[in-house]
Amino acid sequence: MLKKRIIVCLDVKDGRTTKGVKFQNNVDIGDPVEMAAEYYRQGVDELVFYDIMASARGRGPILDLISRVASKVFIPFCVGGGIGTIEDIRSTILAGAEKVSLNSQAVKNPSLITEGARVFGNQCIVLGMDAAKDGDCPSGYRVYINGGRVKTDLDALEWAKKAVSLGAGEIVLNSIDADGVRNGYELDLTRMIAENVPVPVIASGGGGTPKHLADVLRDSPDGGKADAALVASMVHSMGYTVGGIKEELSRLGTPVRL
């Protein structure tokens, strides 16, 4: 059975790790380089680094910080935020990232997905998607950009399918409604996307207990069917370690790398 991945997310603002609730009221929680090294020691499977202000401020990725984080971790490392050109993708990978997450920039310029996949391979191109409930959309969920600040005309399911057809090799699905609330992942949204795209789906937003991860990773009609779960608050401020989460998931019957 394929092992499920546990991924830690570092949201970065002005060079510091930050955490908010529903993409708002962010507070400084530490140095991203030190935190990345610690989660690597704890046995995290992958690391995701988001510069949450880059697109809103119209600037590219912070290559120096990416390089310093990459020097501390020897696992897959994905970087998002402000990556708007092929040259941005190239420089981010050269700085030490294995993957880039295209979110706002992919919506504004979908051909970036195709060109990125052509030059660097589908495995390097991750669609980051921020979605929130909206009854006016066919799937019931709407896509937002610029760190959840700007509403788009895109339906979440249609955008996920289109992005994969353009070349995205993975999707990080962020539920704005569940973000930082710690009441569990958005199972219906995650399952809907996972059932309709042929690439791995990473659930993000809402993890508060190992049971929440077990639910979103479960391949059953009531589970989220995600390939991986992204955590932030649980390990940043709730006293959990990556190893502890994995041990509990194993006890709950979720196949993970121990």
Side-chain angles (χ1 to χ4, degrees), residues 60-88:
I62 309 173
L63 299 176
D64 172 61
L65 188 56
I66 293 166
S67 178
R68 286 163 52 213
V69 170
S71 72
K72 300 290 186 183
V73 300
F74 303 95
I75 49 175
F77 174 37
C78 180
V79 172
I83 298 172
T85 67
I86 288 297
E87 195 46 54
D88 286 338

Side-chain angles (χ1 to χ4, degrees), residues 42-114:
Q42 290 181 16
V44 73
D45 296 309
E46 295 188 23
L47 195 69
V48 173
F49 172 113
Y50 288 132
D51 185 333
I52 63 171
M53 296 304 295
S55 288
R57 290 175 177 170
R59 61 163 171 74
I62 309 173
L63 299 176
D64 172 61
L65 188 56
I66 293 166
S67 178
R68 286 163 52 213
V69 170
S71 72
K72 300 290 186 183
V73 300
F74 303 95
I75 49 175
F77 174 37
C78 180
V79 172
I83 298 172
T85 67
I86 288 297
E87 195 46 54
D88 286 338
I89 297 175
R90 180 178 285 108
S91 59
T92 300
I93 291 171
L94 288 173
E98 277 79 24
K99 308 176 189 178
V100 295
S101 177
L102 306 178
N103 189 322
S104 304
Q105 300 298 332
V107 170
K108 295 169 186 174
N109 177 20
S111 66
L112 184 63
I113 299 172
T114 306

Side-chain angles (χ1 to χ4, degrees), residues 3 55 109 118 123 126 135-136 138 147 154 164 169 197 199 221-222 233:
K3 299 279 198 292
S55 288
N109 177 20
R118 183 186 69 78
Q123 78 286 347
V126 178
D136 291 334
L154 295 172
V164 170
V197 296
V199 301
D222 63 339
S233 301

